[in-house]
Amino acid sequence: MNKDLIKALDILEEEKGISKEIVIQALEAALVSAYKKNYGQSQNVEIQFDEKKGDMHVYAVKEVVEFVFDSTLEVSLDEALTIHKAYELGDKIRFEVTPKDFGRIAAQTAKQVIMQRLRDAERTNIYNEFITYENEIMTGVVDRADSRYVYVNLGKIVAGLSKQEQIPTEEYNPGDRIKVLVTKVDNTTKGPQIFVSRSHPDLLKRLFEQEVPEIYDGVVEIVSIAREAGDRAKVAVRSRNENLDAVGTCVGPRGQRVQAIVNELNGENMDIVEWKEDPAVYIANALNPAQVVDVHFDEASNSCVVVVPDYQLSLAIGKRGQNARLAAKLTGFRVDIKSESAYAELLNQAQELEQEIEEVEEDVNVVEDFVEANEKTTKEVVQEEIEEETSAE
């Protein structure tokens, strides 16, 4: 056992990168507990491990005192002096108390410590490996599912895909290969826990980076993404090269690039629009495929009214308001869509209201002038009466 233990420690250090000194310290601490538990001892003990022979010895540590009250913890000065004349009060003396059958307990404890250290090392290695994949895309195989999670095997660990992170229109069957975004890597007492997503907008971003080299290289930039997973998404892109069409680059020859992403997401519709510095143009692009006549902004509320042709109103709003909703998420503006006729009617109503306000203001001015004139006349009459009374006196 001794030679096997030393060999095991060497293998741990060489192949797993686990320091031999750390394992020995943990082993000695575990053996102290094992000794006290198996032999019913409560005194202070130390374990000494011989790294060359692999032998382990148990020592009881006692303090030199003048009068002994607890023989398991103390030794008299007279007895200490018989061991060595240099001992003084307060010194610590070690007495070997290694039991004859301690080798069996030591072997069991060593096995447990080494296995625990192996598990800890594997957990640490897995955590260090997968923390580098956080917010990155990985390919996994569906393992199983329960009421809370779909479990995806990523090779060395199984990740959790929660209900909230699943695409509502997808079914996940054991054996299915899927691409997921690693959203969170936790290092818990039970080991690393990894959570993944199929609905996160960054999954779409990483898929574009895989399919479009210009995005991965930074020549084309994804500025914003608005997504309703499984149904439809809008992606705003811009080119850092004025001679390169950002939208066309993402679509690819005959739409091959974007189609590969659509296929990976099981038919999720994709609108790729060009980002523009002019917010009016950007909003018009975001409402694609609808045509936009005009955009009117209210900077105070960060909102705008978008005017579209009457026949394009339903297209601009989209099914269940989806097109307008995604455009608002993509641009960051609150978007209110009006048809040309509805907006013209609003303008007419505003003009009529403005005229009514002007007429009311005119009437108010007339009344004020009348009151002022009447007040002046009254003052003059009173003044004349006062003057007449004064003259009569």
Side-chain angles (χ1 to χ4, degrees), residues 298-317:
D298 182 359
E299 295 182 0
S301 60
N302 197 41
S303 62
C304 64
V305 176
V306 179
V307 183
V308 299
D310 287 13
Y311 68 93
Q312 294 254 311
L313 180 61
S314 60
L315 182 63
I317 295 174

Side-chain angles (χ1 to χ4, degrees), residues 121-283:
E122 289 174 358
R123 290 173 177 177
T124 301
N125 290 338
I126 290 173
Y127 175 77
N128 290 338
E129 177 181 345
F130 280 91
I131 193 65
T132 62
Y133 288 104
E134 200 168 53
N135 205 34
E136 296 292 338
I137 200 169
M138 295 189 74
T139 300
V141 178
V142 176
D143 186 59
R144 66 189 190 280
D146 59 23
S147 59
R148 295 191 306 155
Y149 291 98
V150 169
Y151 297 94
V152 182
N153 193 325
L154 299 179
K156 295 182 179 180
I157 195 169
V158 175
L161 177 64
S162 68
K163 291 286 186 182
Q164 295 80 4
E165 299 298 335
Q166 297 172 20
I167 295 178
T169 56
E170 287 185 338
E171 291 185 3
Y172 305 98
N173 301 309
D176 290 349
R177 292 184 65 85
I178 57 174
K179 290 184 178 180
V180 293
L181 182 80
V182 179
T183 56
K184 189 177 183 182
V185 180
D186 280 342
N187 195 13
T188 68
T189 54
K190 296 181 180 180
Q193 289 187 345
I194 297 180
F195 301 93
V196 295
S197 174
R198 285 278 290 172
S199 61
H200 199 287
D202 280 351
L203 173 66
L204 190 54
K205 183 177 182 180
R206 296 292 179 253
L207 288 173
F208 268 101
E209 290 175 350
Q210 286 187 349
E211 295 294 333
V212 185
E214 291 82 356
I215 292 179
Y216 184 82
D217 295 336
V219 179
V220 175
E221 178 189 0
I222 295 178
V223 180
S224 180
I225 295 177
R227 184 184 180 203
E228 294 185 358
D231 195 355
R232 190 174 182 182
K234 287 182 180 288
V235 182
V237 297
R238 66 175 175 181
S239 174
R240 298 183 182 276
N241 184 344
E242 59 182 14
N243 298 320
L244 185 67
D245 176 18
V247 175
T249 300
C250 294
V251 172
R254 297 184 297 277
Q256 292 178 353
R257 289 177 171 178
V258 72
Q259 189 59 47
I261 297 172
V262 170
N263 292 340
E264 171 60 35
L265 298 176
N266 293 318
E268 184 174 317
N269 294 318
M270 207 72 54
D271 294 337
I272 303 175
V273 303
E274 186 176 9
W275 179 89
K276 289 292 185 180
E277 190 172 356
D278 185 341
V281 179
Y282 182 30
I283 290 171

